[in-house]
Amino acid sequence: MLVQVPGGWNPILGRLAIDQIPYTNPIIAPLFVAVVIGGIIILGLITYYQKWGYLWKEWLTTVDHKKLGVMYIILGLVMLFRGFVDGLMIRTQQVWANGPQSSGVFGAVHGYLTPFHFGQVYSAHGLIMILLAATPLLVGFMNIIVPIQIGARDMAYPYLNALGLWITAAAVGLIMISLFVGDFAHNGWFGYAPIFELQYSPGVGVDYWIWTLELTALGTTLGGINLIATIVKMRAPGMTWFKLPIFTWASLSANIIALTSFPALQVALFLVACDRYFGSHFFTAGFGGNLMLYTNLFWIWGHPEVYFVILPAFGMMSEIFPAFSEKPLFGYITMVAASFAIAGVSWLVWLHHFFTMGAGPDVNSAFSVATMLVGIPTGVKVFNWAFTMYRGRITYTAAMLWAIGALFLLLIGGLTGMMLAIPAINYMVHNSVFVIAHFHCMLLTIVYAIFGAVIFWFPKVFGFKLDEFWAKTMFWLFTGGTALVFVPMYMLGFMGETRRLDYVFNTAWHPYLLTEEIGIAVYCLSVVAFFVLLYVSIRDRVKNRVGQDAWGTSRSLEWVTHSPVPFYNFAVTPHVNARDELAWRRHNGINEAQPTQYVDIHMPNNTGVAIYIGALTFVLGFALTWRVWWLCLLSLLAIIVLMIVRSWRGDPGYIVTAAELEQMERKAMQRQQQVEGHLPHAGGQHAIPGGAMAYEGQSVRPLGTPPSTGDQH
C-alpha cells in the first residue's frame, strides 16, 4: 500500500510542479541560467562542426574498453570539480558565519546559505566525492589499463562494460538535476536513521539520494563482475598468476570487495525505499523497526568501500615508483598478499563507526584490534615502496611527485586512523572535524595517486605526454592547498569543532577557518593550472609525441603495444615471459621486435542499446523520485524489452583480416619511427638472442623488416 505523501500529487506529473523549480533562489537561479547557456553553446558547436555522427559512432555507442575508460574518467573529473565547488561553498559559509555578529545574505541569518541548503550541499559533497568522482576515476583506469596489462583485446563482456558506464552516467544525471528540480537530501551522504523517514524528510531530496546511490551501486557491481571475469579468463599465454602486474592484482582485490559489498548497500537502500514508499517500517523504532539495522547494513558496505577505492590507488603507486626508480617493485609477493589482507580485514572493521554508541568494552576492543590490523599490510606496502626507491635511479617527474605526495598523505591519514581506532581517543574526537581531516587525507591519497596515474598513462592512451612544467605547477599548488586546509582542520578538531556546522559559534576559531579558506583559494589556482596543463599539452602534442614506451623505463605489458593503443590492443597476442615483461624484453633486446605474421581477429560491434538503457534508468530514477507511476512503468517496460531484444539478437561481431592488420601495423610503425629521434631508449633494440619469445607460437623480427601475412584463423 502506497504511503500518502504531504503536498500535492496528480496522476500525470506526480509530485512535480512549477514551484519545485527554485527559480527565486539567488544562488541556484543564476547557476541554472549559466548551465543552460553553456549547454546550448556546446550543442551548437557540435552541430556547427557536424560532429554528431562522429560522437555517436566513435564514443556514445562504443564498446572499446579504452574509450569507455576515458569517458569514466571524464565523468569522474566533472564530478570531482562539482564536489570541489561544494567544498568551496562549505568552507566559505563557515568562515563567513563565524560568531554571533557575522552577517547574512540571501535569506540566511549568518553567512549566505540557509541551514537546509547547507545540509544539502554537505550531503552532496560527500556522496559525489566518494561515489561519483573517486569511484568512476578508478573504474576508468581499471577499464583502460587492466586488459592491456594482461594482454587481452577487450573486457570479457564489452557490452556489459558499456552498460555499467551509462548506468553510472544516469546516476550522475540524477544528482545533477536535483540542483535545479526539487532539492537533495540533507541527511548526510550516508543517511541518518530516522531522518530519512518520510515524516522527517517529506521532500524529494531523500528519494534523489536513494535512486542515485542505487544506480551507482548497480553500475559499479556490473563493472566489478566484468573486471574479475576479464582477469581470471582473458590473460595472455604465459601470464601466470604470479606474473600479473601489481595494478591488476590491486584491481582484482578491489573488485572482489565491490562484488561482495555493493549488494549490501542496495539491500539497505531498497529497505529505506520500502519505508518511504510503502510504510514498511524496517527502520522505524516506534513500529518494530531497528535504527541500527540500517546503520550496520550501510557501514558493512561503507567501510569496505574505503578499501575498494584505495586499493587501485595503491596499485597505481606500485606502477609509478618502479618506473621512475628504474628498479623492480620490492617485495612483489608481499605486496599481493598485503592487498588481499587489506581486502579481507576490510570486512571486520565497520563497527568502529559506533564506538560511542555503547557497544561495550569487549565489542569495542575487538573492532579496535581489527581496525589496527589494517595497518600491518598497509605498512608492508609503505616499506616496500620505500625499498623500491632505495638506491634507485629516481627521476622526479610530475607523476613521481604525485606518487610521493600520495605516500606522505597515506602516512598522515594512516597514523591518525590508528589514533581513531583507539576507543578512548575516538570518544574525545568523535564527530569532530579531526575525523573529517583524517578521511580527507585518505581520500586525497587516492586523488594524488589518480593524478600521478593520469600523467603516467596519458601518453599510452593519447600518444603524447602532458606538459611537465604545468603538471609540477599543479602539484605544488594542490599540495599547498592541502596543507592549508587540513592542518588547521586537525587542530580545530582537537579544539572541539564538530562537523556539519552551518554556523560557527566560537570566534577564536576564525584564524583557522580563514587559513582553510586561503587553502581553498590555492586549490582554485591548482584547478586553473590543470586547465592550462591540458591546453598547453594539446597545443604542443606534435612536439610531445611518444613511441610505445613513453618513459624509457616502463616495465609492464601495456608499454609493449603502440601509443596510442589501437582498437585491437595487440596485433598478435603477446607471449608473456616475465613479471615485468617490457623490462625483460628490453634486457633481451627484443623490446621493439614485431610479429612475423598476422592472423584474423574477432572484435565486438558497437551498440546503442547500452546508452538507451542508461537513459531509461535515469528516467526511471526521476519518475520514482517524483512518484510519476505511469512513467515508472513505461521506462521499466522499455528497459526489459530492450534487454530481451539485445539478448535475442546477440552480437556476431566482425572480423579484422590479417591483411588489414598488417596495413594498420605498418602505418603505426611509420608513425613510431617518425618520433623515435627524441625518445628514450634502453638495451640493444635490434639484437634477438636465441630462445627469446615475444608472441605466441612465433619467432620475432627486428623493427623495420617487412612482416608476412599468415592464414591462421
Side-chain angles (χ1 to χ4, degrees), residues 640-658:
I640 293 170
V641 168
L642 273 174
M643 291 175 75
I644 291 172
V645 169
R646 165 74 192 183
S647 303
W648 235 331
R649 292 175 57 186
D651 175 24
Y654 67 97
I655 298 294
V656 182
T657 65

Side-chain angles (χ1 to χ4, degrees), residues 112 155 184 255 381 418 450 620 712:
Y112 69 105
M155 300 282 276
F184 194 66
N255 282 287
K381 283 181 175 287
M418 286 294 111
I450 286 172
L620 179 61
Q712 300 175 37

Side-chain angles (χ1 to χ4, degrees), residues 284-301:
T284 314
F287 291 87
N290 189 335
L291 302 176
M292 280 304 295
L293 174 62
Y294 169 78
T295 314
N296 274 292
L297 278 174
F298 185 90
W299 285 111
I300 281 174
W301 161 81

Side-chain angles (χ1 to χ4, degrees), residues 242-256:
F242 285 106
K243 289 179 187 167
L244 217 56
I246 201 71
F247 178 70
T248 301
W249 269 120
S251 302
L252 180 62
S253 54
N255 282 287
I256 290 172

Side-chain angles (χ1 to χ4, degrees), residues 320-328 388 392-395 552-553 555:
I320 294 171
F321 285 132
F324 296 110
S325 301
E326 298 191 36
K327 282 178 65 184
T388 302
R393 287 191 290 272
I394 299 177
T395 310
T553 54
R555 308 187 67 83

Side-chain angles (χ1 to χ4, degrees), residues 465-521:
K465 286 183 181 178
L466 288 171
D467 185 85
E468 274 286 309
F469 172 78
W470 282 104
K472 288 180 178 176
T473 302
M474 182 193 168
F475 167 78
W476 288 115
L477 288 170
F478 199 91
T479 303
T482 300
L484 287 169
V485 171
F486 294 105
V487 171
M489 198 176 285
Y490 274 121
M491 298 166 74
L492 284 168
F494 279 129
M495 294 177 190
E497 186 193 353
T498 55
R499 52 184 174 178
R500 305 187 193 92
L501 291 180
D502 65 289
Y503 163 63
V504 182
F505 63 89
N506 192 339
T507 53
W509 295 342
H510 190 258
Y512 301 94
L513 298 172
L514 190 61
T515 307
E516 291 180 21
E517 186 70 0
I518 293 170
I520 289 289

Side-chain angles (χ1 to χ4, degrees), residues 12 26 40 52 75 126 166 191 235 336 377 396 398 406 417 504 557 572 585:
I12 304 299
I40 291 171
W52 284 112
L75 202 65
W166 292 115
R235 302 192 307 279
V336 174
Y396 290 100
V504 182
L557 190 61
V572 173
R585 291 187 182 204

